[in-house]
Amino acid sequence: MPKVKLLTSMAGIDFSHNAGDIIDCNDAEAVRFIEAGIAEAIGVAEPKVERATAKRKVETATKAD
């Protein structure tokens, strides 16, 4: 089970965690917490989030004499 360090506090019906707490969670929860910005990975490389971006060719205008 991966461990994450919480960046914000969170609580539910049967749990309560403070910011800075290190908790165990399953892989799906860890990814979801990290992507939401409420936790950071501990002891393992953070999952790389790939984002598709189009490469644009930059054209510059030149003044003809």
Side-chain angles (χ1 to χ4, degrees):
M1 292 187 113
K3 292 186 180 215
V4 294
K5 179 179 178 184
L6 295 176
L7 302 176
T8 61
S9 299
M10 58 192 291
I13 294 174
D14 59 349
F15 70 93
S16 175
H17 301 295
N18 296 315
D21 286 353
I22 296 175
I23 62 169
D24 289 321
C25 56
N26 63 38
D27 293 334
E29 284 179 327
V31 170
R32 194 169 56 243
F33 291 163
I34 292 167
E35 287 179 351
I38 62 173
E40 59 186 19
I42 297 294
V44 295
E46 292 185 29
K48 183 178 179 181
V49 177
E50 294 185 26
R51 292 187 170 80
T53 57
K55 292 186 179 182
R56 291 191 261 165
K57 184 177 179 181
V58 178
E59 295 183 22
T60 57
T62 58
K63 186 175 184 181
D65 290 327

